[in-house]
Amino acid sequence: MLAKLKIENIVYFVADIDRTEAFYRDVLGLDVQRTPDEKNGDFLMMPTAGGVRPIFFKKADMKPGQTPTVVYTLEGGGIDAVVAGLARKGATIVTPVSHAPGGWSADLTDPDGRLFSVYQTTDAPR
């Protein structure tokens, strides 16, 4: 079902987006790209040599040490069917398919309660 996907992002939720930007840019020396988002507030993205992009979103109720969320990108689309199929097989839907920057995403949990997401761009058919 998920054979044609790739890990594209790892999402971190942070308490202070400005502090996070300064740390990763000034302390670690990474190329931090800030993207304005009128709906959810600015977010940060950092391209890496391996192609996986860490993304940082501000979250008011963020808990220290909260684990990141791995985002699997569906290359061919079909997010609605994929999420429904995962639910039928036992994954728990936390956030149903909804709008995300540049596409659609859904959050689910594995049997141990770890959050993961599936994502597709608006270019791919739902």
Side-chain angles (χ1 to χ4, degrees):
M1 175 174 293
L2 295 178
K4 293 186 178 185
L5 58 79
K6 67 178 181 175
I7 296 176
E8 187 161 336
N9 303 107
I10 300 175
V11 175
Y12 295 86
F13 294 101
V14 300
D16 185 322
I17 203 81
D18 296 322
R19 180 181 68 189
T20 300
E21 180 179 25
F23 178 82
Y24 284 90
R25 181 191 61 230
D26 301 338
V27 176
L28 297 183
L30 298 175
D31 177 24
V32 179
Q33 300 170 354
R34 189 177 195 123
T35 302
D37 185 333
E38 291 180 20
K39 183 177 179 184
N40 300 309
D42 292 0
F43 64 92
L44 308 173
M45 189 175 347
M46 292 174 286
T48 65
V52 176
R53 295 175 298 191
I55 297 179
F56 297 83
F57 292 99
K58 182 176 179 177
K59 185 176 180 185
D61 62 347
M62 195 283 302
K63 298 172 183 67
Q66 185 173 355
T67 59
T69 302
V70 175
V71 180
Y72 298 96
T73 297
L74 305 170
E75 293 288 311
I79 191 168
D80 296 298
V82 168
V83 170
L86 291 170
R88 281 193 302 275
K89 291 183 175 189
T92 301
I93 298 172
V94 176
T95 306
V97 176
S98 56
H99 178 72
W104 303 94
S105 70
D107 297 326
L108 303 102
T109 56
D110 71 9
D112 291 312
R114 282 183 292 271
L115 190 68
F116 67 95
S117 292
V118 291
Y119 172 84
Q120 77 167 59
T121 65
T122 53
D123 298 337
R126 280 185 68 180

